[in-house]
Amino acid sequence: MARWRNVVAATGLAAVVLGPVPGCRRDEGGGELHARHVVLEREVEGLRELAARLERGEAALAPEDVVVGIADTMVQEILSAQLPFKGEADKFVVEIGQAEVAFKGTPGVTLRGTIALRDRPGLAGEVKAIGVLDDIGIDPASGTLRAKVVVDHIDLLKMAGLEELLSGGTVDELARRVRLQLAGQIPEIQIPVRVEQGVVLPTVTEGPVRIQGATMPLAVAVSNVFAGQGMLWIGIKVELGELVKTAVPPPAPRATPAAQAKGGPR
């Protein structure tokens, strides 16, 4: 198995500090700045974790792991193919119609759509959900890579008067409720990369050569993940199981004297 090394040079980190916005309403510009603040915080946190690992002399991914690299554009296409997605939160319906994926320090995901009252669909606002790919693993049934989209921040923009119907609540409180109730409703992402979970040597029972088959299970699991420069690097740890032989095939028939005279099997 080829050994893989990854060298990362960090040239600098940037952070944005935003002050609180008075009142319960947030205008579009303030919402966009707040969302950008959340994204930058997550990216900085991911880069700090990587830098700490490198300072300890550890590789970004274990050299003995099998490494799979996936571009953010590919994951965005996969996620976009599953849209639109509808979810419910209290008396509101959230419909997500657009996805943006960017691998910069963390596997970031941004979802955009609308939020409307269930019984008044014409009264709608805009929703922006920010999260990451999480729980990246190998599906035991199919062997394919899969991941969940975890939303940790929601901004509600252009509410079109919806905030006046919140019964004393605020836009921020509604955003919090929407985030909590959407958890688990977003479809899982299936990445078209299959990881074999065993090696099979087939049994050969016909012909002059007979082979006893065998199987060797492989314990495969995602050990670490690193996102950067538009790529998601997934380290997969592989452990070999015990070789198990299948039933012994019947012996090959002995050749007749006539066949032996013609140079056949002896």
Side-chain angles (χ1 to χ4, degrees):
M1 185 180 298
R3 299 175 67 87
W4 184 89
R5 294 183 178 180
N6 185 26
V7 179
V8 178
T11 58
L13 302 176
V16 176
V17 179
L18 300 178
V21 180
C24 66
R25 300 192 183 190
R26 183 187 297 132
D27 60 22
E28 181 180 2
E32 290 292 336
L33 287 175
H34 189 250
R36 182 59 180 163
H37 176 92
V38 173
V39 172
L40 287 176
E41 278 188 334
R42 186 185 296 111
E43 292 177 2
V44 169
E45 181 180 355
L47 292 174
R48 282 176 177 167
E49 181 181 347
L50 174 62
R53 193 181 307 154
L54 296 177
E55 288 177 358
R56 294 192 299 266
E58 303 173 3
L61 296 172
E64 63 272 14
D65 284 354
V66 176
V67 178
V68 177
I70 303 171
D72 52 10
T73 52
M74 177 182 180
V75 176
Q76 179 168 316
E77 290 178 1
I78 295 172
L79 183 55
S80 298
Q82 299 181 206
L83 301 178
F85 154 77
K86 284 187 177 182
E88 294 189 356
D90 290 338
K91 55 186 177 181
F92 294 92
V93 176
V94 177
E95 180 172 352
I96 301 297
Q98 182 182 357
E100 300 171 10
V101 179
F103 296 153
K104 300 177 181 179
T106 56
V109 176
T110 301
L111 305 174
R112 298 176 184 269
T114 60
I115 181 171
L117 285 169
R118 187 182 299 109
D119 55 354
R120 297 181 63 181
L123 188 59
E126 295 182 6
V127 60
K128 180 176 182 180
I130 302 173
V132 293
L133 293 184
D134 194 22
D135 193 21
I136 300 172
I138 301 171
D139 182 71
S142 63
T144 57
L145 287 172
R146 53 106 180 101
K148 294 180 180 178
V149 177
V150 176
V151 174
D152 54 18
H153 176 79
I154 283 183
D155 266 326
L156 301 179
L157 311 170
K158 295 182 178 179
M159 292 299 289
L162 277 175
E163 64 271 22
E164 299 177 1
L165 305 176
L166 298 181
S167 301
T170 66
V171 173
D172 287 338
E173 174 60 21
L174 174 60
R176 187 188 71 84
R177 296 205 311 267
V178 170
R179 178 179 62 82
L180 293 177
Q181 296 187 33
L182 283 182
Q185 297 188 42
I186 302 177
E188 191 175 72
I189 297 177
Q190 294 290 336
I191 301 173
V193 175
R194 182 177 179 182
V195 181
E196 294 294 340
Q197 302 179 78
V199 178
V200 178
L201 178 64
T203 299
V204 179
T205 59
E206 297 181 358
V209 178
R210 307 297 175 93
I211 300 177
Q212 182 178 3
T215 60
M216 177 184 290
L218 302 176
V220 293
V222 173
S223 60
N224 208 346
V225 176
F226 167 68
Q229 296 184 335
M231 295 292 295
L232 180 66
W233 301 102
I234 303 173
I236 300 175
K237 184 178 181 180
V238 180
E239 294 182 351
L240 303 180
E242 182 179 355
L243 183 67
V244 179
K245 295 182 180 179
T246 57
V248 178
R254 296 182 61 84
T256 63
Q260 293 181 3
K262 294 180 181 180
R266 298 180 181 274

